[in-house]
Amino acid sequence: MNAYDIIIKPVITEQSMADVADKKYVFQVAINANKTEIKAAIEEIFEGVKVESVNTMRTLGKMKRQGRTQGRTPEVKKAIVTLAPGEQIEVFANDGATE
């Protein structure tokens, strides 16, 4: 698998942005990716970044219904990546601009 197949997208929420101060970044990752693959993919995509630890969580899809038909939304796997001291990912950097 390619590094871009493992890391799907960053998760931008209030809680995830509050964790940026603690060098923790949240990404949505492939369901079948493990922690070592996630660590290697982050270090490959964001060159010069040293990953200290990776924590993962899977969330079951919610039940949805439309009329008589019911089903589930897709499962999602998220990874919380903690970087080594002094490291930073520029995508999440706050430049102080407000809208």
Side-chain angles (χ1 to χ4, degrees):
M1 279 176 58
N2 186 354
Y4 292 96
D5 294 334
I6 294 172
I7 307 299
I8 297 172
K9 65 181 179 178
V11 176
I12 311 281
T13 61
E14 278 187 44
Q15 186 174 1
S16 69
M17 295 311 289
D19 288 340
V20 169
D22 297 331
K23 304 289 184 200
K24 294 183 180 182
Y25 300 91
V26 183
F27 295 94
Q28 183 178 343
V29 297
I31 290 285
N32 57 354
N34 61 31
K35 291 181 181 184
T36 55
E37 290 174 340
I38 294 168
K39 179 179 178 178
I42 292 291
E43 290 176 349
E44 181 181 332
I45 292 172
F46 304 103
E47 296 172 3
V49 171
K50 178 73 174 132
V51 175
E52 194 171 273
S53 68
V54 177
N55 295 344
T56 59
M57 65 183 88
R58 287 179 69 160
T59 57
L60 190 64
K62 294 180 180 178
M63 288 296 294
K64 298 288 183 179
R65 47 178 298 170
Q66 188 168 7
R68 283 192 261 180
T69 308
Q70 60 180 338
R72 284 193 181 274
T73 58
E75 289 185 31
V76 176
K77 185 172 188 176
K78 291 189 278 187
I80 300 173
V81 177
T82 305
L83 299 183
E87 299 289 332
Q88 179 177 327
I89 294 178
E90 294 300 322
V91 174
F92 291 93
N94 186 4
D95 59 358
T98 57
E99 294 183 28

